[in-house]
Amino acid sequence: MELCWHRRDLRVADNRALAACDWTLPVFVFDDSVLAHAGPPRVAFMLDALSALREAYRDLGGDLLVERGDPSTMIADLASEFGVDRVVWNEDYSGLARERDEAVRAALDEEGIDHETYHDAIHHEPGTVLTNDGEPYSVFTYFWKKWRDREKADPVSPPDEIADGDGGIPTLSELGFDEPAGSVPEASTEAAEDLLAAFCDGPIYRYAEDRDYPERECTSRLSPHLKFGTIGIRRVWEATEEARESAESEEERESVSEFQSQLAWREFYTQVLAYHPHVVTENYREYSNGIEWRSDEEGLAAWKAGETGYPIVDAGMRQLKTESYMHNRLRMIVASFLTKDLLLDWREGYAHFREFLVDHDTGNDNGGWQWAASTGTDAQPYFRVFNPMTQGERYDPDAEYITSYVPELEGVDPETIHSWHEIGDDEREEAAPEYPAPIVDHAKRREEAIETFERARGDE
Ligand SMILES: Cc1cc2nc3c(=O)[nH]c(=O)nc-3n(C[C@H](O)[C@H](O)[C@H](O)COP(=O)(O)OP(=O)(O)OC[C@H]3O[C@@H](n4cnc5c(N)ncnc54)[C@H](O)[C@@H]3O)c2cc1C
């Protein structure tokens, strides 16, 4: 019998470690050192995903064994207790996960129990898409070209025989968490398959054109499923390739590719994390260690609360609170606002996202923040500072997205909303008395940010 240790691969379908087993004891261990960094939305999603996983195992005639403790010793203890011949799991690529896995391997070696790991979460594991000099890519476009042309594996099937675990899953409060502030999407392979089917049935063909417009709701919403592995990447790829075959024009085929390139961004950031584990807490680019970030408790609090007086920024931050999710364009806008307009350290924003996002993923979140802060690989150039007003005007021209999250602005005409920073206090007071005036002057802050970055770069 094999022990299959689930971590961020909470599914039976298209699961490589599981597919490599004949007769399996499936196990999940709540690790307090991981829970210490998790926010309520993610833990709530994970608990639902575990319930769905347990049901899937029950349907196969077995059950999931759920434990709480330190996997470094617990996995070997369980393997001995159940007399398994081999322990299998899927790789996780962050520095902390790899350290933990080393400890698990050492404990298994001591017990004389075989173990094997598989690459499952991504198509091409770190170290397989490299420059011609054998180095990891630091520019996405080149990575994407090579990644795109590599053959992709097909989905795999689970084994026939599953052993019985205890099936006991703790509640959120037993794990020490409050209910999430915002809603949390349904977490199961079925829910992920439904999203994938709905997306491939239409939105994927307008993705290239519409993905930047939050109100058009044309993205897949698969991020928490890819993060927790309620769906396998091979399955997602297969569905997108089928959509490509059904496309009716070159434009539609290109739109499918545009979506697939986002899946490659995920793998690009996984590779960055695998090769540079320090990016979780440190800047990727060394010059940025000299950036003099400000300290501004009030500004940070206003940003978190969605009370900056910049409507598009506030709408994004409030979407995060209400849905435990934020549209990608908004993540870029609010991250730019925090790091450039407020000149606050990206780590403040990262910590907030980590707590509130249901899809927080170390590689992607870190990649996104360091991109916006101009401190990362292939990052936004420091002198290209997003203007929150023109971003709002361009990507939410009718202010529909804004007003759906900022009720104080309901009924105010879009033109007034998009010029909130330049109209007078009297006009603001008349249009929306409950909504704040801008907390900073964007034009001034933009100049200051550029000067700060130039000082750090030694350009002055
Ligand atoms: C500051 C910042 C923080 C972010 N934090 C996270 C995070 O914690 N977790 C996360 O999964 N994504 C993060 N992203 C990337 C992106 O915003 C989300 O993946 C996307 O909004 C999720 O919605 P979706 O599934 O509908 O995306 P879709 O547009 O449907 O994309 C499909 C999938 O591709 C991947 N993807 C899409 N865009 C990116 C990207 N720019 N970088 C890496 N992968 C991408 C995701 O897995 C996503 O689910 C962040 C971006 C920024 C700018």
Side-chain angles (χ1 to χ4, degrees):
M1 180 166 70
E2 287 108 345
L3 185 159
C4 179
W5 175 28
H6 284 277
R7 296 107 62 84
R8 42 171 302 188
D9 54 340
L10 304 180
R11 66 184 184 284
V12 296
D14 188 24
N15 184 323
R16 278 192 162 160
L18 185 61
C21 300
D22 295 318
W23 176 28
T24 320
L25 173 70
V27 171
F28 182 85
V29 179
F30 283 98
D31 178 348
D32 286 316
S33 68
V34 174
L35 288 176
H37 300 287
R42 264 188 299 145
V43 183
F45 186 91
M46 188 172 71
L47 288 174
D48 275 358
L50 278 172
S51 299
L53 179 65
R54 177 179 63 186
E55 285 315 306
Y57 275 125
R58 287 180 178 171
D59 287 347
L60 291 172
D63 210 338
L64 179 69
L65 177 67
V66 181
E67 294 283 347
R68 184 170 181 179
D70 179 359
S72 329
T73 50
M74 185 167 266
I75 292 296
D77 291 348
L78 290 171
S80 301
E81 185 185 332
F82 287 88
V84 306
D85 309 309
R86 196 167 71 112
V87 175
V88 298
W89 67 88
N90 289 314
E91 291 275 354
D92 194 343
Y93 305 97
S94 76
L96 278 179
R98 285 192 302 176
E99 269 173 38
R100 178 199 54 202
D101 291 357
E102 264 321 301
V104 174
R105 280 189 189 95
L108 289 168
D109 286 341
E110 220 163 272
E111 296 288 327
I113 299 167
D114 280 352
H115 48 82
E116 198 155 349
T117 60
Y118 297 84
H119 294 287
D120 170 81
I122 51 181
H123 278 297
H124 305 302
E125 66 264 24
T128 56
V129 180
L130 296 172
T131 65
N132 293 342
D133 296 334
E135 295 295 324
Y137 281 100
S138 56
V139 177
F140 174 74
T141 324
Y142 301 127
F143 174 86
W144 159 238
K145 281 186 184 146
K146 215 174 238 183
W147 184 94
R148 181 188 59 188
D149 295 341
R150 311 247 348 214
E151 203 177 321
K152 307 281 180 287
D154 290 331
V156 290
S157 306
D160 297 328
E161 263 198 285
I162 309 292
D164 247 349
D166 65 355
I169 296 175
T171 61
L172 203 56
S173 71
E174 279 164 358
L175 290 174
F177 287 87
D178 294 332
E179 285 298 320
S183 60
V184 172
E186 197 187 328
S188 64
T189 302
E190 210 181 358
E193 284 283 356
D194 287 350
L195 286 175
L196 182 63
F199 179 67
C200 288
D201 198 33
I204 195 169
Y205 299 121
R206 47 185 180 85
Y207 184 81
E209 188 165 337
D210 288 353
R211 62 180 292 256
D212 273 321
Y213 297 84
E215 192 54 27
R216 298 186 191 171
E217 302 226 2
C218 138
T219 69
S220 71
R221 294 268 190 150
L222 281 171
S223 49
H225 297 282
L226 288 168
K227 151 77 191 181
F228 287 101
T230 35
I231 196 160
I233 190 65
R234 291 158 296 281
R235 173 67 197 116
V236 175
W237 187 263
E238 180 183 60
T240 60
E241 283 296 288
E242 283 163 12
R244 184 200 299 284
E245 275 161 32
S246 308
E248 287 174 358
S249 63
E250 193 47 37
E251 214 180 7
E252 288 190 352
R253 275 186 284 280
E254 273 169 25
S255 189
V256 172
S257 294
E258 178 66 28
F259 176 73
Q260 291 179 332
S261 79
Q262 301 311 310
L263 301 176
W265 268 108
R266 174 174 169 269
E267 302 207 5
F268 177 70
Y269 284 139
T270 303
Q271 172 212 253
V272 172
L273 185 64
Y275 276 90
H276 311 280
H278 68 280
V279 295
V280 177
T281 49
E282 304 298 322
N283 298 313
Y284 173 84
R285 285 168 190 268
E286 272 183 18
Y287 89 83
S288 26
N289 294 334
I291 298 170
E292 300 146 31
W293 301 111
R294 291 181 193 218
S295 158
D296 174 5
E297 286 301 323
E298 266 179 41
L300 180 61
W303 178 81
K304 287 183 180 175
E307 299 272 350
T308 66
Y310 280 90
I312 192 81
V313 174
D314 294 341
M317 296 307 293
R318 295 190 200 186
Q319 180 181 25
L320 176 62
K321 281 278 170 69
T322 49
E323 291 173 20
S324 314
Y325 173 87
M326 197 192 298
H327 184 276
N328 178 60
R329 172 61 42 185
L330 273 299
R331 294 187 204 206
M332 298 191 321
I333 295 172
V334 305
S336 175
F337 190 83
L338 185 85
T339 55
K340 307 288 172 57
D341 287 76
L342 297 181
L343 254 177
L344 291 176
D345 195 325
W346 61 266
R347 282 160 278 227
E348 299 275 11
Y350 176 76
H352 186 71
F353 271 27
R354 190 173 66 176
E355 185 175 354
F356 286 95
L357 273 179
V358 67
D359 64 17
H360 163 78
D361 170 276
T362 309
N364 285 357
D365 210 359
N366 187 270
W369 274 100
Q370 295 226 38
W371 178 88
S374 308
T375 60
T377 37
D378 208 358
Q380 169 89 321
Y382 73 93
F383 48 83
R384 227 183 276 151
V385 178
F386 272 15
N387 178 330
M389 305 313 299
T390 46
Q391 288 285 316
E393 226 170 339
R394 178 151 178 215
Y395 295 110
D396 190 25
D398 300 327
E400 287 175 48
Y401 172 82
I402 291 174
T403 48
S404 63
Y405 292 101
V406 185
E408 303 97 295
L409 291 171
E410 235 170 69
V412 178
D413 67 282
E415 208 180 309
T416 306
I417 291 178
H418 294 311
S419 50
W420 198 250
H421 61 307
E422 54 192 17
I423 57 177
D425 281 343
D426 289 348
E427 209 178 324
R428 279 195 285 258
E429 181 65 26
E430 198 179 314
E434 303 296 323
Y435 186 66
I439 58 168
V440 289
D441 174 345
H442 169 72
K444 198 160 149 258
R445 286 303 180 95
R446 176 181 173 276
E447 293 302 316
E448 288 172 11
I450 291 174
E451 281 166 21
T452 303
F453 274 78
E454 283 177 349
R455 265 200 309 280
R457 293 164 58 90
D459 293 354
E460 276 194 352

